[in-house]
Amino acid sequence: MRVEMHFTPHQVDEMSLHDNTIVVVDVLRASTTIATGLCNGAREFIPTTTVESAVKISGNLFGGVVLLGGERNGRMIEGFHLGNSPVEYSGEKVKGKTIVFSSTNGSMAMVKARYAREMFVCGFVNISVVYDCIKELGADFTVLCAGKNGMFSIEDSVCAGMLVHKLVSDSSFDVELSDGALAALTLYKSFGKNIQKMIKGSEHGKYLAEIGFGEDLKVCASVDTVPVVPQLVGNVVKLKRDAESNEVAKVPVSS
Ligand code: MLT
């Protein structure tokens, strides 16, 4: 099984991901938020790259069941119902809702992976269940880290490295790592011992703490607390088990 690694989506040609198995990682905070929202009963997330397309898509869907969620510069977008803090995505707010979602980097990575054979959304909070899916598929896969504005981010890379570590520790596979996957594994071995500390010291972690989202860092650093697998089906991210029941919302392509 070969593992490829992209540390940011910016240079990635979406057609190169065509027909691959992709794991999108945006620890701070889109992966954590989407896993939390789906775990708390949200029907689905529709990732979009721009605020304008989010507003347009939400306008084409039924009023009462649709929420706009996401951020720019870490803060809720004006006119949206929810930001990008996982703690906002409680059952009370999101149960049964379709969330049209636009975050700066995570959404872009998810939209880039729209032609994948399978795409899973992964953070520390759901890493073991995502690993179980990868293991079950037993096929080559690519990790696509969201990064930050086209740059490397330590928290996504360490999370990607943890996934690689699970794989290389599993004797059932012959594993071939790309240089990027090997680098991520090495980072995990150095920083994975204290994930909370690593996240607190990351550039985006420090920024989020500065703007008042310090509590989110603990939530995003916790391992296996939200054991659900968000999977892209068409243009919609839903729980893997719902995705398997083949229930795809009819929405426009959301780039
Ligand atoms: C993103 O997609 O850029 C992030 O999730 C930003 C954030 O922390 O809200």
Side-chain angles (χ1 to χ4, degrees):
M1 189 191 291
R2 183 170 166 84
V3 188
E4 298 287 349
M5 185 73 50
H6 293 292
F7 291 107
T8 85
H10 282 64
Q11 306 297 328
V12 178
D13 171 9
E14 60 189 18
M15 290 320 288
S16 73
L17 306 178
H18 182 259
D19 226 17
N20 289 5
T21 297
I22 309 293
V23 178
V24 168
V25 177
D26 186 10
V27 169
L28 295 176
R29 294 167 288 172
S31 290
T32 312
T33 296
I34 289 176
T36 304
L38 290 174
C39 188
N40 286 338
R43 181 180 149 85
E44 61 205 2
F45 282 72
I46 302 175
T48 68
T49 52
T50 66
V51 173
E52 294 70 28
S53 57
V55 172
K56 199 168 155 203
I57 289 167
S58 75
N60 291 337
L61 298 167
F62 295 111
V65 295
V66 180
L67 296 174
L68 280 160
E71 57 68 42
R72 285 298 178 270
N73 299 316
R75 296 186 168 95
M76 188 163 81
I77 299 160
E78 212 187 313
F80 276 37
H81 307 96
L82 297 159
N84 190 23
S85 168
V87 298
E88 288 176 69
Y89 287 69
S90 62
E92 208 180 304
K93 289 195 184 145
V94 303
K95 200 167 177 100
K97 307 279 185 188
T98 290
I99 294 150
V100 185
F101 185 77
S102 184
S103 73
T104 314
N105 302 286
S107 290
M108 187 212 257
M110 289 171 215
V111 171
K112 277 251 162 142
R114 67 189 143 166
Y115 300 123
R117 188 179 332 117
E118 298 89 12
M119 186 277 264
F120 305 117
V121 175
C122 180
F124 288 110
V125 293
N126 65 343
I127 191 160
S128 294
V129 285
V130 171
Y131 175 66
D132 290 342
C133 292
I134 295 294
K135 196 174 155 175
E136 199 181 305
L137 287 169
D140 298 350
F141 68 98
T142 299
V143 182
L144 181 58
C145 296
K148 186 167 169 152
N149 304 328
M151 307 293 272
F152 175 91
S153 73
I154 190 77
E155 68 281 4
D156 292 345
S157 310
V158 171
C159 184
M162 188 173 184
L163 198 63
V164 175
H165 184 257
K166 284 180 181 292
L167 185 68
V168 295
S169 314
D170 190 330
S171 57
S172 26
F173 296 107
D174 255 352
V175 181
E176 187 187 320
L177 300 182
S178 62
D179 286 356
L182 190 59
L185 176 62
T186 309
L187 286 171
Y188 170 69
K189 285 181 179 163
S190 318
F191 290 99
K193 286 169 205 87
N194 193 337
I195 291 169
Q196 200 159 314
K197 185 170 170 213
M198 176 276 295
I199 284 189
K200 267 192 177 167
S202 69
E203 277 181 43
H204 195 53
K206 285 192 230 165
Y207 173 72
L208 288 174
E210 252 170 54
I211 64 168
F213 291 109
E215 282 306 303
D216 284 1
L217 306 188
K218 282 190 210 138
V219 175
C220 297
S222 51
V223 177
D224 290 337
T225 47
V226 189
V228 296
V229 179
Q231 177 172 14
L232 187 74
V233 188
N235 298 306
V236 175
V237 177
K238 39 175 65 194
L239 284 185
K240 185 167 179 286
R241 61 153 200 264
D242 296 342
E244 281 163 355
S245 72
N246 225 4
E247 201 199 332
V248 182
K250 301 276 181 296
V251 292
V253 172
S254 47
S255 62

